[in-house]
Amino acid sequence: MTRADSQTRSRAPGRQDWSTWPHYNAAAAGFRGYWYPVTWSSHVTGKPTGIRLCGDAIVLVRDRGTVHALHDRCPHRGVPLSLGRREFPGTLSCAYHGWTFDLADGDLVAAITDGPRSPICGKARVATYPVAERLGMVWVYVPIAGEDAPPIDEQLPEELVGTPFVMGGRIDDRTGNWRFACENGYDEGHAKYLHRTSLWRLFKAMPTWNVTRIEQRGRWIYRRQLEQYWEADFPGLGRWTNKRWWKLSPPAAKDGAASNIGNTGAAKKVDPVIAAQDFPGFASVSMPGVLRIAYPGFIHYEFYVPVDADHHRYVGVMVNFLEGAATARFYLKYLGWIRWLFHGQFSGQDAWMVDVTDAPPEKLYRPDVSLTAWRGLAEKDYTAKLAAVENPAAPKNKDA
Amino acid sequence: MTRADSQTRSRAPGRQDWSTWPHYNAAAAGFRGYWYPVTWSSHVTGKPTGIRLCGDAIVLVRDRGTVHALHDRCPHRGVPLSLGRREFPGTLSCAYHGWTFDLADGDLVAAITDGPRSPICGKARVATYPVAERLGMVWVYVPIAGEDAPPIDEQLPEELVGTPFVMGGRIDDRTGNWRFACENGYDEGHAKYLHRTSLWRLFKAMPTWNVTRIEQRGRWIYRRQLEQYWEADFPGLGRWTNKRWWKLSPPAAKDGAASNIGNTGAAKKVDPVIAAQDFPGFASVSMPGVLRIAYPGFIHYEFYVPVDADHHRYVGVMVNFLEGAATARFYLKYLGWIRWLFHGQFSGQDAWMVDVTDAPPEKLYRPDVSLTAWRGLAEKDYTAKLAAVENPAAPKNKDA
Amino acid sequence: MTRADSQTRSRAPGRQDWSTWPHYNAAAAGFRGYWYPVTWSSHVTGKPTGIRLCGDAIVLVRDRGTVHALHDRCPHRGVPLSLGRREFPGTLSCAYHGWTFDLADGDLVAAITDGPRSPICGKARVATYPVAERLGMVWVYVPIAGEDAPPIDEQLPEELVGTPFVMGGRIDDRTGNWRFACENGYDEGHAKYLHRTSLWRLFKAMPTWNVTRIEQRGRWIYRRQLEQYWEADFPGLGRWTNKRWWKLSPPAAKDGAASNIGNTGAAKKVDPVIAAQDFPGFASVSMPGVLRIAYPGFIHYEFYVPVDADHHRYVGVMVNFLEGAATARFYLKYLGWIRWLFHGQFSGQDAWMVDVTDAPPEKLYRPDVSLTAWRGLAEKDYTAKLAAVENPAAPKNKDA
């Protein structure tokens, strides 16, 4: 998508609904057919725990080291299996009548209260979900129609596969639709206004407005700032700027003048792993709602995990590509302030807006090119995925 | 409407629904096309505040002395404008992306995060509402279809326009439909039974039952008590009265006998302003739900402000037509006991009933002539208003 | 119904809904046409109290010793009569306008605020419900279509009519549909698994699984345990038993072997009244949701009283057929531990499951013969009742 294209689209008069993106419009409870991080690995033990993901009730339980995920509903009388316990290794028994399911395939292998030769055995089952553990978290695949899950490494951000790193993160249950959270994360426009009061930016000015281009590489779209304006005079109203005397001046910025920054200047301090990715922009997003912000020296990720139409789970992760003793410095930095200022107060401002956003109807403006590009990406990616599920033999259309 | 008429109507067997008054029946969220008091003037400052009125979300903000009211929803992404702030004089900016609206006409005059030449400017707006300040309160006009507001003084009780007075009041958010609140306020029947235990009436007896006539003058209908009975013998059940040895005896009342009081006896102490109005009755009501109780020496008003179908705002005001040093005595009296006994406990008994009233279906009795007359007034008044909005050139039919 | 029949039915593949039992399926808010215990007699005084039963709002009030039940809604304006008071003997007056209803027939006998000759009198009424007092509780009959109530003694468990006894009991408001509560109570399967951890069973083992036959006698169906198995080896999983070294061994049970117990062994200690009933089984159930568990020496009853589709009232009663000084021992036992362990913690486990049960869809297994037999009983009993109400002259079909 060229810049001209996207600007034409965002200026289209009267766009009020999401009918341009029918799958996206229908995905209130999330897109099925993707892996989602749902909780910290350390939180999943031998005692079952129930979660909700894309509207599905799911029970997680760890058995001899391996995490299993099953539909959290006993087919007998609808009681949640997360209230049960493991009576035998490799199984989970319903708290009510002791219906016992194989954790690996969900088959009913025993109905304790009907004895060893119960005729119901082998005639009932619960759905299971593919599970993986990455980044210290449990990931669950939500199938579209019972299809096999693709390898999770194909979906993880490429730089997180096979590279050593350290990380810190925060998982919060939040109110509001996951799409508002994702759109907020990738949104080019709001940061400079909403977050102007954040402690995270207390000593660092933000521009007033930008000229932005969206570029796609593989399954990611990147937001490239072509021009940044640190001050602006609004006719008949007055001057507006984020700059304060106590805030760090922007690099090479002259008042009211444009500075072409791309990410070349800021990329100086980027470590080798990141540089190797050759990111064309600071912020990028991919399906099913993964935000990547490449700061100099570390990368911040946000995963917007759909719980149901009105709730999502915010998973924020800060990653540093370090090894050995240097990792101690990262943990100090993360626990000392990143966790509280960035994953806390800064991200809390986003949560506030996501909670009160109410669209469609909506009326888009020029910086919403980032939103419409993301919706277009989601629409195309999911359409291809649907085709692949319906016709597994056909070659995948992976590129845009 | 004559007394015979109204009694025939109220005796109509089997009246169960409100189909006789179709506009009234449809006005669950209030009648549009009227001014409503919404909050104390002192509560509206430079910091925006959100209210709900007739189901509309409205943001109020004071700018250089003047109160403005706008639809409380940014057209961009649906975020309430009441979360925003005034970045420039005469404007309100949305907290999310800095969309900035002119307070006077609602036009989008700047989108801060898209720079001074943002193409969206002039292409979006939010609805504004006419605002006035009277009686120390902010009043908002809710239009039917974007029409101009009539002068508020045409709607205010006549005696409050151009006359000096002092007042005290109370604003409470209450549960229940505004029509139940208004009907309760004007209801002839309940006071003598429901309020028999109120502290406000601790030393003053109330009659057991009355004969009442409803008379219309201009846009008000008045409740005239033709006969009052202080005791009654119910066949087969027993005697019932509100009289107690410690309560003040009614003027010139003989046990079980009727006393024609009109308001001539009680009007002796009425001050000149009130007397000049020549009220034909103690209690009167007008659209859009304004109750006026003319006590000797002061007038009590209740405004039943529709919030949504299930909530209303009770605005109770006590007015005394005094000037100079005498006003101190009023404030002493109001803050000393009127506020707590009348606007508090007495009115709280009404709030209790309004909350549990559940009609239609209903079955009306003779004293409900006050209810049906009020509904008839509302129906006629609003019908005329609708006609005037649809055909502004036609002369107004103001009289009944 | 024979055992073969019921097992065939419960093994029917794919039974997922309740369409086999249409009346039962429709009875979410309870079956009308039966007596229900609603509260302790001592809780109904001269001050009206509102309850909900089968979805109906009902006001209970005691007048000169007799309890009356009326529809809890004044026909005038829909205000609950339970907010009112008795102004005259034998009547209840609405709190709002003093509409006064005869407690015996619900007729409007006075409208206080309209005087003694109010034309509304005799033109309005509220529905009344038949009331009885038994077992220290108030019972209310909920009619299908205004029909007369049958004598309550025809519906009470036979052994409670005309026999001296002592009792203790507990009434709890609980979440969940009354049918889940009743099915849980009569359910053959869950007790041995769900209640394995109950304190009530701390020193007494329960079998692992049973072979059960359902037998009908009159209006009750009985659950007869033909075989009991105290241990079981589940192929590929392991052994499972409720037996512990500190628990009382089952009578005449050999490990892994079946013991035919019927109720002959346990019946040794049964007192003469119970023995005379010649119960063919330990647990029995009858309409409209009455569970009877015949322990040696006493009987436990549970009444699952429908409040609305999502709530029920649990009425648990323990009865001992004693007279004279021996009753002291029962009260000591009941208040000392039965109340806390059985009517408290044990029954609380049931309440937990009833709250989370979510069916249909469901998938039944062999022990659910008790559920399907109960549903069949309910369907047949209610069908006969409906026919009797529609054609009162026809002879009742009381037997199965």
Side-chain angles (χ1 to χ4, degrees), chain B residues 362-385:
Chain B
E362 68 189 5
K363 191 162 183 71
L364 301 184
Y365 76 143
R366 198 163 48 178
D368 285 326
V369 59
S370 54
L371 262 66
T372 52
W374 149 246
R375 291 174 186 173
L377 175 77
E379 195 68 20
K380 191 155 58 175
D381 202 292
Y382 185 71
T383 303
K385 182 169 287 283

PDB file of all heavy atoms in Angstrom, chain B residues 362-385:
ATOM      1  N   GLU B 362     -52.470  -0.631  35.138  1.00  0.00           N
ATOM      2  CA  GLU B 362     -52.871   0.088  36.332  1.00  0.00           C
ATOM      3  C   GLU B 362     -54.393   0.104  36.397  1.00  0.00           C
ATOM      4  O   GLU B 362     -55.054  -0.261  35.423  1.00  0.00           O
ATOM      5  CB  GLU B 362     -52.334   1.517  36.285  1.00  0.00           C
ATOM      6  CG  GLU B 362     -52.982   2.357  35.205  1.00  0.00           C
ATOM      7  CD  GLU B 362     -52.311   3.711  34.998  1.00  0.00           C
ATOM      8  OE1 GLU B 362     -51.283   3.981  35.622  1.00  0.00           O
ATOM      9  OE2 GLU B 362     -52.849   4.496  34.196  1.00  0.00           O
ATOM     10  N   LYS B 363     -54.914   0.497  37.529  1.00  0.00           N
ATOM     11  CA  LYS B 363     -56.374   0.622  37.670  1.00  0.00           C
ATOM     12  C   LYS B 363     -56.600   1.900  38.456  1.00  0.00           C
ATOM     13  O   LYS B 363     -56.210   2.012  39.602  1.00  0.00           O
ATOM     14  CB  LYS B 363     -56.931  -0.581  38.418  1.00  0.00           C
ATOM     15  CG  LYS B 363     -58.444  -0.644  38.369  1.00  0.00           C
ATOM     16  CD  LYS B 363     -58.945  -2.041  38.731  1.00  0.00           C
ATOM     17  CE  LYS B 363     -60.451  -2.107  38.615  1.00  0.00           C
ATOM     18  NZ  LYS B 363     -60.918  -2.056  37.211  1.00  0.00           N
ATOM     19  N   LEU B 364     -57.203   2.902  37.789  1.00  0.00           N
ATOM     20  CA  LEU B 364     -57.296   4.231  38.397  1.00  0.00           C
ATOM     21  C   LEU B 364     -58.559   4.369  39.249  1.00  0.00           C
ATOM     22  O   LEU B 364     -59.535   3.673  39.034  1.00  0.00           O
ATOM     23  CB  LEU B 364     -57.264   5.287  37.298  1.00  0.00           C
ATOM     24  CG  LEU B 364     -55.986   5.239  36.446  1.00  0.00           C
ATOM     25  CD1 LEU B 364     -55.981   6.375  35.427  1.00  0.00           C
ATOM     26  CD2 LEU B 364     -54.731   5.302  37.309  1.00  0.00           C
ATOM     27  N   TYR B 365     -58.478   5.254  40.249  1.00  0.00           N
ATOM     28  CA  TYR B 365     -59.641   5.539  41.084  1.00  0.00           C
ATOM     29  C   TYR B 365     -59.916   7.036  41.057  1.00  0.00           C
ATOM     30  O   TYR B 365     -59.171   7.809  40.437  1.00  0.00           O
ATOM     31  CB  TYR B 365     -59.483   4.942  42.479  1.00  0.00           C
ATOM     32  CG  TYR B 365     -58.567   5.620  43.457  1.00  0.00           C
ATOM     33  CD1 TYR B 365     -58.890   5.674  44.815  1.00  0.00           C
ATOM     34  CD2 TYR B 365     -57.370   6.196  43.059  1.00  0.00           C
ATOM     35  CE1 TYR B 365     -58.061   6.266  45.740  1.00  0.00           C
ATOM     36  CE2 TYR B 365     -56.534   6.793  43.990  1.00  0.00           C
ATOM     37  CZ  TYR B 365     -56.891   6.822  45.323  1.00  0.00           C
ATOM     38  OH  TYR B 365     -56.061   7.406  46.224  1.00  0.00           O
ATOM     39  N   ARG B 366     -60.963   7.478  41.744  1.00  0.00           N
ATOM     40  CA  ARG B 366     -61.458   8.841  41.630  1.00  0.00           C
ATOM     41  C   ARG B 366     -60.384   9.920  41.814  1.00  0.00           C
ATOM     42  O   ARG B 366     -60.285  10.835  40.991  1.00  0.00           O
ATOM     43  CB  ARG B 366     -62.627   9.018  42.601  1.00  0.00           C
ATOM     44  CG  ARG B 366     -63.491  10.206  42.305  1.00  0.00           C
ATOM     45  CD  ARG B 366     -64.831  10.088  43.021  1.00  0.00           C
ATOM     46  NE  ARG B 366     -64.676   9.738  44.442  1.00  0.00           N
ATOM     47  CZ  ARG B 366     -65.707   9.613  45.299  1.00  0.00           C
ATOM     48  NH1 ARG B 366     -66.946   9.790  44.880  1.00  0.00           N
ATOM     49  NH2 ARG B 366     -65.499   9.297  46.545  1.00  0.00           N
ATOM     50  N   PRO B 367     -59.555   9.843  42.862  1.00  0.00           N
ATOM     51  CA  PRO B 367     -58.547  10.903  43.017  1.00  0.00           C
ATOM     52  C   PRO B 367     -57.523  10.953  41.884  1.00  0.00           C
ATOM     53  O   PRO B 367     -56.784  11.931  41.767  1.00  0.00           O
ATOM     54  CB  PRO B 367     -57.868  10.544  44.348  1.00  0.00           C
ATOM     55  CG  PRO B 367     -58.879   9.724  45.095  1.00  0.00           C
ATOM     56  CD  PRO B 367     -59.602   8.947  44.029  1.00  0.00           C
ATOM     57  N   ASP B 368     -57.467   9.911  41.050  1.00  0.00           N
ATOM     58  CA  ASP B 368     -56.515   9.921  39.940  1.00  0.00           C
ATOM     59  C   ASP B 368     -56.930  10.885  38.842  1.00  0.00           C
ATOM     60  O   ASP B 368     -56.267  10.966  37.805  1.00  0.00           O
ATOM     61  CB  ASP B 368     -56.335   8.509  39.372  1.00  0.00           C
ATOM     62  CG  ASP B 368     -55.486   7.644  40.291  1.00  0.00           C
ATOM     63  OD1 ASP B 368     -54.566   8.200  40.940  1.00  0.00           O
ATOM     64  OD2 ASP B 368     -55.733   6.437  40.367  1.00  0.00           O
ATOM     65  N   VAL B 369     -57.999  11.632  39.045  1.00  0.00           N
ATOM     66  CA  VAL B 369     -58.336  12.715  38.124  1.00  0.00           C
ATOM     67  C   VAL B 369     -57.131  13.647  37.976  1.00  0.00           C
ATOM     68  O   VAL B 369     -56.906  14.236  36.912  1.00  0.00           O
ATOM     69  CB  VAL B 369     -59.581  13.473  38.609  1.00  0.00           C
ATOM     70  CG1 VAL B 369     -59.368  14.062  39.990  1.00  0.00           C
ATOM     71  CG2 VAL B 369     -59.954  14.559  37.635  1.00  0.00           C
ATOM     72  N   SER B 370     -56.317  13.777  39.007  1.00  0.00           N
ATOM     73  CA  SER B 370     -55.130  14.639  38.883  1.00  0.00           C
ATOM     74  C   SER B 370     -54.117  14.018  37.922  1.00  0.00           C
ATOM     75  O   SER B 370     -53.496  14.715  37.122  1.00  0.00           O
ATOM     76  CB  SER B 370     -54.499  14.893  40.261  1.00  0.00           C
ATOM     77  OG  SER B 370     -54.231  13.687  40.925  1.00  0.00           O
ATOM     78  N   LEU B 371     -53.979  12.701  37.961  1.00  0.00           N
ATOM     79  CA  LEU B 371     -53.050  12.039  37.045  1.00  0.00           C
ATOM     80  C   LEU B 371     -53.526  12.147  35.596  1.00  0.00           C
ATOM     81  O   LEU B 371     -52.749  12.484  34.697  1.00  0.00           O
ATOM     82  CB  LEU B 371     -52.922  10.545  37.394  1.00  0.00           C
ATOM     83  CG  LEU B 371     -51.740  10.125  38.236  1.00  0.00           C
ATOM     84  CD1 LEU B 371     -51.869  10.729  39.630  1.00  0.00           C
ATOM     85  CD2 LEU B 371     -51.613   8.625  38.302  1.00  0.00           C
ATOM     86  N   THR B 372     -54.781  11.841  35.384  1.00  0.00           N
ATOM     87  CA  THR B 372     -55.258  11.831  34.002  1.00  0.00           C
ATOM     88  C   THR B 372     -55.283  13.252  33.438  1.00  0.00           C
ATOM     89  O   THR B 372     -55.026  13.455  32.258  1.00  0.00           O
ATOM     90  CB  THR B 372     -56.651  11.177  33.909  1.00  0.00           C
ATOM     91  OG1 THR B 372     -57.517  11.813  34.854  1.00  0.00           O
ATOM     92  CG2 THR B 372     -56.568   9.704  34.232  1.00  0.00           C
ATOM     93  N   ALA B 373     -55.558  14.235  34.299  1.00  0.00           N
ATOM     94  CA  ALA B 373     -55.530  15.622  33.808  1.00  0.00           C
ATOM     95  C   ALA B 373     -54.099  16.015  33.423  1.00  0.00           C
ATOM     96  O   ALA B 373     -53.867  16.661  32.399  1.00  0.00           O
ATOM     97  CB  ALA B 373     -56.069  16.563  34.887  1.00  0.00           C
ATOM     98  N   TRP B 374     -53.139  15.609  34.218  1.00  0.00           N
ATOM     99  CA  TRP B 374     -51.736  15.888  33.892  1.00  0.00           C
ATOM    100  C   TRP B 374     -51.325  15.213  32.597  1.00  0.00           C
ATOM    101  O   TRP B 374     -50.688  15.812  31.728  1.00  0.00           O
ATOM    102  CB  TRP B 374     -50.834  15.466  35.065  1.00  0.00           C
ATOM    103  CG  TRP B 374     -49.476  15.011  34.655  1.00  0.00           C
ATOM    104  CD1 TRP B 374     -48.950  13.764  34.779  1.00  0.00           C
ATOM    105  CD2 TRP B 374     -48.430  15.801  34.029  1.00  0.00           C
ATOM    106  NE1 TRP B 374     -47.676  13.700  34.282  1.00  0.00           N
ATOM    107  CE2 TRP B 374     -47.327  14.942  33.813  1.00  0.00           C
ATOM    108  CE3 TRP B 374     -48.335  17.128  33.622  1.00  0.00           C
ATOM    109  CZ2 TRP B 374     -46.147  15.363  33.222  1.00  0.00           C
ATOM    110  CZ3 TRP B 374     -47.146  17.547  33.019  1.00  0.00           C
ATOM    111  CH2 TRP B 374     -46.075  16.680  32.827  1.00  0.00           C
ATOM    112  N   ARG B 375     -51.715  13.973  32.433  1.00  0.00           N
ATOM    113  CA  ARG B 375     -51.358  13.272  31.196  1.00  0.00           C
ATOM    114  C   ARG B 375     -52.020  13.955  29.990  1.00  0.00           C
ATOM    115  O   ARG B 375     -51.415  14.076  28.927  1.00  0.00           O
ATOM    116  CB  ARG B 375     -51.797  11.804  31.273  1.00  0.00           C
ATOM    117  CG  ARG B 375     -51.000  10.998  32.279  1.00  0.00           C
ATOM    118  CD  ARG B 375     -51.574   9.596  32.404  1.00  0.00           C
ATOM    119  NE  ARG B 375     -50.919   8.836  33.470  1.00  0.00           N
ATOM    120  CZ  ARG B 375     -51.310   7.644  33.878  1.00  0.00           C
ATOM    121  NH1 ARG B 375     -52.354   7.057  33.304  1.00  0.00           N
ATOM    122  NH2 ARG B 375     -50.662   7.017  34.844  1.00  0.00           N
ATOM    123  N   GLY B 376     -53.261  14.368  30.174  1.00  0.00           N
ATOM    124  CA  GLY B 376     -53.943  15.062  29.094  1.00  0.00           C
ATOM    125  C   GLY B 376     -53.239  16.368  28.752  1.00  0.00           C
ATOM    126  O   GLY B 376     -53.064  16.721  27.576  1.00  0.00           O
ATOM    127  N   LEU B 377     -52.822  17.097  29.786  1.00  0.00           N
ATOM    128  CA  LEU B 377     -52.103  18.350  29.559  1.00  0.00           C
ATOM    129  C   LEU B 377     -50.811  18.091  28.793  1.00  0.00           C
ATOM    130  O   LEU B 377     -50.485  18.787  27.819  1.00  0.00           O
ATOM    131  CB  LEU B 377     -51.778  18.995  30.914  1.00  0.00           C
ATOM    132  CG  LEU B 377     -50.911  20.254  30.856  1.00  0.00           C
ATOM    133  CD1 LEU B 377     -51.756  21.449  30.413  1.00  0.00           C
ATOM    134  CD2 LEU B 377     -50.263  20.547  32.210  1.00  0.00           C
ATOM    135  N   ALA B 378     -50.061  17.085  29.226  1.00  0.00           N
ATOM    136  CA  ALA B 378     -48.792  16.748  28.572  1.00  0.00           C
ATOM    137  C   ALA B 378     -49.032  16.390  27.110  1.00  0.00           C
ATOM    138  O   ALA B 378     -48.308  16.832  26.210  1.00  0.00           O
ATOM    139  CB  ALA B 378     -48.111  15.594  29.309  1.00  0.00           C
ATOM    140  N   GLU B 379     -50.055  15.588  26.887  1.00  0.00           N
ATOM    141  CA  GLU B 379     -50.335  15.135  25.533  1.00  0.00           C
ATOM    142  C   GLU B 379     -50.655  16.320  24.616  1.00  0.00           C
ATOM    143  O   GLU B 379     -50.116  16.430  23.517  1.00  0.00           O
ATOM    144  CB  GLU B 379     -51.528  14.167  25.579  1.00  0.00           C
ATOM    145  CG  GLU B 379     -51.703  13.343  24.325  1.00  0.00           C
ATOM    146  CD  GLU B 379     -50.576  12.344  24.124  1.00  0.00           C
ATOM    147  OE1 GLU B 379     -49.857  12.009  25.100  1.00  0.00           O
ATOM    148  OE2 GLU B 379     -50.377  11.923  22.965  1.00  0.00           O
ATOM    149  N   LYS B 380     -51.481  17.222  25.118  1.00  0.00           N
ATOM    150  CA  LYS B 380     -51.911  18.365  24.310  1.00  0.00           C
ATOM    151  C   LYS B 380     -50.756  19.343  24.077  1.00  0.00           C
ATOM    152  O   LYS B 380     -50.521  19.816  22.960  1.00  0.00           O
ATOM    153  CB  LYS B 380     -53.084  19.066  25.004  1.00  0.00           C
ATOM    154  CG  LYS B 380     -53.773  20.093  24.137  1.00  0.00           C
ATOM    155  CD  LYS B 380     -55.226  20.333  24.564  1.00  0.00           C
ATOM    156  CE  LYS B 380     -55.360  20.797  26.000  1.00  0.00           C
ATOM    157  NZ  LYS B 380     -56.742  21.136  26.360  1.00  0.00           N
ATOM    158  N   ASP B 381     -50.029  19.614  25.147  1.00  0.00           N
ATOM    159  CA  ASP B 381     -48.920  20.561  25.070  1.00  0.00           C
ATOM    160  C   ASP B 381     -47.846  20.069  24.095  1.00  0.00           C
ATOM    161  O   ASP B 381     -47.343  20.820  23.257  1.00  0.00           O
ATOM    162  CB  ASP B 381     -48.323  20.716  26.476  1.00  0.00           C
ATOM    163  CG  ASP B 381     -47.553  22.006  26.641  1.00  0.00           C
ATOM    164  OD1 ASP B 381     -46.480  22.144  26.006  1.00  0.00           O
ATOM    165  OD2 ASP B 381     -47.995  22.860  27.438  1.00  0.00           O
ATOM    166  N   TYR B 382     -47.534  18.786  24.177  1.00  0.00           N
ATOM    167  CA  TYR B 382     -46.479  18.252  23.325  1.00  0.00           C
ATOM    168  C   TYR B 382     -46.944  18.133  21.873  1.00  0.00           C
ATOM    169  O   TYR B 382     -46.158  18.358  20.943  1.00  0.00           O
ATOM    170  CB  TYR B 382     -46.017  16.885  23.843  1.00  0.00           C
ATOM    171  CG  TYR B 382     -44.838  16.355  23.070  1.00  0.00           C
ATOM    172  CD1 TYR B 382     -43.578  16.932  23.199  1.00  0.00           C
ATOM    173  CD2 TYR B 382     -44.973  15.274  22.206  1.00  0.00           C
ATOM    174  CE1 TYR B 382     -42.492  16.458  22.483  1.00  0.00           C
ATOM    175  CE2 TYR B 382     -43.897  14.797  21.489  1.00  0.00           C
ATOM    176  CZ  TYR B 382     -42.652  15.399  21.634  1.00  0.00           C
ATOM    177  OH  TYR B 382     -41.578  14.920  20.927  1.00  0.00           O
ATOM    178  N   THR B 383     -48.212  17.814  21.664  1.00  0.00           N
ATOM    179  CA  THR B 383     -48.762  17.765  20.310  1.00  0.00           C
ATOM    180  C   THR B 383     -48.635  19.129  19.637  1.00  0.00           C
ATOM    181  O   THR B 383     -48.218  19.229  18.475  1.00  0.00           O
ATOM    182  CB  THR B 383     -50.238  17.320  20.347  1.00  0.00           C
ATOM    183  OG1 THR B 383     -50.320  16.053  21.001  1.00  0.00           O
ATOM    184  CG2 THR B 383     -50.809  17.216  18.941  1.00  0.00           C
ATOM    185  N   ALA B 384     -48.978  20.184  20.399  1.00  0.00           N
ATOM    186  CA  ALA B 384     -48.856  21.538  19.850  1.00  0.00           C
ATOM    187  C   ALA B 384     -47.397  21.870  19.557  1.00  0.00           C
ATOM    188  O   ALA B 384     -47.062  22.481  18.535  1.00  0.00           O
ATOM    189  CB  ALA B 384     -49.447  22.540  20.848  1.00  0.00           C
ATOM    190  N   LYS B 385     -46.511  21.444  20.428  1.00  0.00           N
ATOM    191  CA  LYS B 385     -45.085  21.717  20.229  1.00  0.00           C
ATOM    192  C   LYS B 385     -44.558  21.025  18.978  1.00  0.00           C
ATOM    193  O   LYS B 385     -43.827  21.606  18.184  1.00  0.00           O
ATOM    194  CB  LYS B 385     -44.303  21.269  21.461  1.00  0.00           C
ATOM    195  CG  LYS B 385     -42.824  21.540  21.399  1.00  0.00           C
ATOM    196  CD  LYS B 385     -42.164  21.324  22.736  1.00  0.00           C
ATOM    197  CE  LYS B 385     -42.498  22.412  23.717  1.00  0.00           C
ATOM    198  NZ  LYS B 385     -41.742  23.663  23.455  1.00  0.00           N
TER     199      LYS B 385
END
